[in-house]
Amino acid sequence: MDPAFESLLVRASEKPKALSVPELARLMSAADAEERRALHAAAYAVKTRHVGRRVSVRGLVESGNACAKDCLYCGLRRSNARVERYALSADEIVAVAEAAKARGYASLVIQSGEIESEAHTRFVEGVLKRVAPLDMGVTLSLGEQTDETFRRWKDAGASRYLLRIETSDPAFYAKLHPSGHDWRRRVACLQTLKRLGYQLGTGVMCALPGQTPEMLARDVAFFGDVDADMLGMGPYVPHPDAPLGPAAEAPDNAVRLRMGLNLIAVARLHLHDVNVAAATSLQALAPDGRERGLLAGANVLMPNLTPVRWRAGYQLYPGKPNLDESAEEATAALERSVAAIGETILWNARGDSPHFSGIATSVAPRSSFVV
Ligand code: SAM
Ligand code: SF4
C-alpha cells in the first residue's frame, strides 16, 4: 500500500481533526480494495475505542410524507404528484413508541417531510408530551423550523435533532435544490439546535452528480465546524420521479455503496467520538450494506418501525428495503445480522452521543463559523 496513505491513517487514528481537507479527500478517494480495507479497519478501530463493538438502536417512525420542499433528488418532493400522501395520527405514533419501548428500544426517531405551521408544531408537541413518560431518547428529523418551534419541541421532550446539511458547498446546494431552498437558513437552523442544547445530527449524501471527493472532504470538516454530535450519511439513490438523475461517477449500486462506506470511515476518522448511523440507503444498495457500514465505523442502526401499511408511501428512492417487514421481523433480523459480524446490540440503552456527553456544558457554536 502507498506509505503516504498509511501514514494518513495513523495520524487520523491518533487524534480527531488531525487531517487537512486535501488529506481527507485522499482518504475519501480510496479506490482499490487494499486501501479501502485499511481505511475501514482504521475507522473501525477508532469506533471500538470509543463505543466498543456495540450498536445503538433507534426505532424509526416515518410519521408523514407530505412535504413543502422540492429537493431535486427526493421522491417525496412536493411536485411528485404520484405520491399518495399520508400522515400518521398522534395515537399511531404513540403506539409505535410504546411497542418499541416494550421491545427494548430506548430511543425513537420521528421523521417526516417538512411542514411549517402552527398546527403541525402543536401536533408534534402533543406527541412528544405523550411519549415523554416512556423515558426514551427522542430524535426529530422534521426539516427546517423556526427557532421558536425548535424550542417548543425541546421543551416538550425532544433531545436530538437530525438535519442533514446535504452539502457544505452553497453553490452545489443551489444545484440540488430549486430556488427558495436556502442553504444559509439550514446552517442557521443547525446553530440554533446546538444553542438550544439538542444533540445535533447532520450529514450529507454521497454519489451525487457533480460531487467530488474534495467536496465530501469539506463536508466532513464542516461536521466538525458545527460541532455535530451525530451523523446520518448515505449514498444518493436516484429516484425515477425526481429530476436530479444519476452521477456519471457512480453508475451503479456497487460504486455508490463503496462511496458511502468510505464516507462513514472518513467521518469517523475525523471526528472520533460522534454517533454515526449506517443509513438505510446502504441496505438498499446491498443486502449486507448496513453491516458493512458498522464495519466501516458506524455505530447506530435505525430499524424502520413505521406500521407496514404506510411504509411504501415513504420512498425517497427506489429499492427501499423491508417494505413489508413487521417490527418483530425487523428486530429479529437485526439481532442476527449484528451478531454475525461480532457486534452486540445495546438494548434498553439510549445510546447518547459520547461527543455530546463529554461537552454537554459547552453548547455555543464555533465563533469561526459565520453564516
Ligand atoms: N424532510 C426532512 C429533511 O429533509 O431534513 C427529513 C426527511 S428527508 C426524507 C431525510 C433525508 O433523506 C434527507 O436529508 C436526504 O439526505 C435523504 N434523501 C432524500 N432523497 C434521497 C435519495 N434519493 N437517496 C438517498 N437519500 C435521500
Ligand atoms: Fe422534503 Fe426532506 Fe425530501 Fe427535501 S429531502 S423533499 S425536505 S422530505
Side-chain angles (χ1 to χ4, degrees):
M1 196 185 353
D2 174 8
F5 186 86
E6 236 173 330
S7 92
L8 290 181
L9 293 181
V10 172
R11 275 174 48 217
S13 302
E14 277 167 4
K15 60 174 191 312
K17 301 186 180 174
L19 301 189
S20 66
V21 166
E23 288 170 332
L24 293 171
R26 171 68 184 91
L27 294 186
M28 189 61 219
S29 312
D32 71 51
E34 195 189 6
E35 278 188 1
R36 280 189 283 116
R37 255 199 309 274
L39 172 67
H40 301 172
Y44 190 72
V46 169
K47 164 186 118 165
T48 53
R49 222 157 66 208
H50 287 282
V51 297
R53 299 182 79 185
R54 290 193 288 260
V55 182
S56 291
V57 284
R58 289 93 178 76
L60 170 67
V61 52
E62 295 158 337
S63 57
N65 65 357
C67 190
K69 288 282 184 71
D70 224 6
C71 308
L72 300 178
Y73 41 81
C74 180
L76 302 188
R77 61 198 304 267
R78 68 160 184 258
S79 302
N80 186 4
R82 288 173 186 244
V83 179
E84 217 174 293
R85 306 288 169 171
Y86 74 87
L88 264 59
S89 68
D91 285 350
E92 283 174 303
I93 300 171
V94 173
V96 172
E98 286 169 347
K101 174 79 179 184
R103 255 184 223 110
Y105 289 89
S107 284
L108 188 74
V109 178
I110 303 176
Q111 186 175 83
S112 77
E114 187 175 303
I115 300 168
E116 278 194 79
S117 71
E118 173 55 28
H120 182 247
T121 299
R122 209 173 315 122
F123 172 80
V124 174
E125 217 172 13
V127 169
L128 289 167
K129 285 182 180 156
R130 288 179 60 188
V131 167
L134 296 173
D135 195 25
M136 302 172 89
V138 179
T139 308
L140 297 180
S141 181
L142 307 176
E144 295 163 30
Q145 302 288 337
T146 63
D147 293 10
E148 178 61 11
T149 295
F150 287 142
R151 191 193 55 72
R152 282 169 61 183
W153 289 347
K154 179 91 180 17
D155 288 348
S159 50
R160 312 161 176 160
Y161 205 99
L162 177 60
L163 184 72
R164 290 184 179 180
I165 188 63
E166 313 297 2
T167 170
S168 61
D169 179 333
F172 189 46
Y173 189 89
K175 292 194 175 139
L176 302 174
H177 301 89
S179 62
H181 292 52
D182 183 357
W183 181 85
R184 293 167 74 91
R185 182 178 190 222
R186 218 158 167 87
V187 177
C189 285
L190 293 178
Q191 293 178 322
T192 300
L193 290 163
K194 193 81 200 173
R195 184 168 40 78
L196 290 172
Y198 279 95
Q199 290 181 49
L200 180 67
T202 190
V204 294
M205 287 174 283
C206 57
L208 287 159
Q211 195 179 40
T212 62
E214 289 71 25
M215 289 162 116
L216 286 165
R218 281 198 295 275
D219 292 340
V220 169
F222 172 94
F223 303 154
D225 289 342
V226 293
D227 203 13
D229 301 297
M230 17 183 244
L231 298 175
M233 303 168 296
Y236 160 63
V237 186
H239 190 290
D241 299 324
L244 189 64
E249 312 75 33
D252 58 35
N253 286 349
V255 179
R256 289 177 197 131
L257 179 63
R258 278 212 294 272
M259 289 179 171
L261 297 175
N262 281 6
L263 178 58
I264 286 174
V266 173
R268 171 64 70 191
L269 283 169
H270 191 60
L271 296 177
H272 282 216
D273 61 354
V274 297
N275 273 344
V276 180
T280 312
S281 71
L282 292 172
Q283 201 189 355
L285 298 178
D288 62 348
R290 276 190 315 192
E291 294 74 26
R292 289 169 71 180
L294 295 175
L295 293 172
N299 69 310
V300 173
L301 293 178
M302 305 196 297
N304 195 345
L305 305 186
T306 309
V308 170
R309 71 176 182 286
W310 301 119
R311 236 178 259 180
Y314 202 86
Q315 296 213 52
L316 318 176
Y317 47 79
K320 180 180 176 180
N322 309 333
L323 281 183
D324 55 4
E325 188 185 55
S326 70
E328 294 76 22
E329 287 163 342
T331 306
L334 192 73
E335 281 279 11
R336 279 195 302 275
S337 67
V338 168
I341 60 165
E343 298 235 328
T344 309
I345 295 179
L346 282 171
W347 292 113
N348 300 304
R350 285 183 179 217
D352 285 318
S353 164
H355 184 76
F356 181 85
S357 312
I359 55 129
T361 52
S362 160
V363 293
R366 295 284 161 94
S367 54
S368 61
F369 197 80
V370 180
V371 207

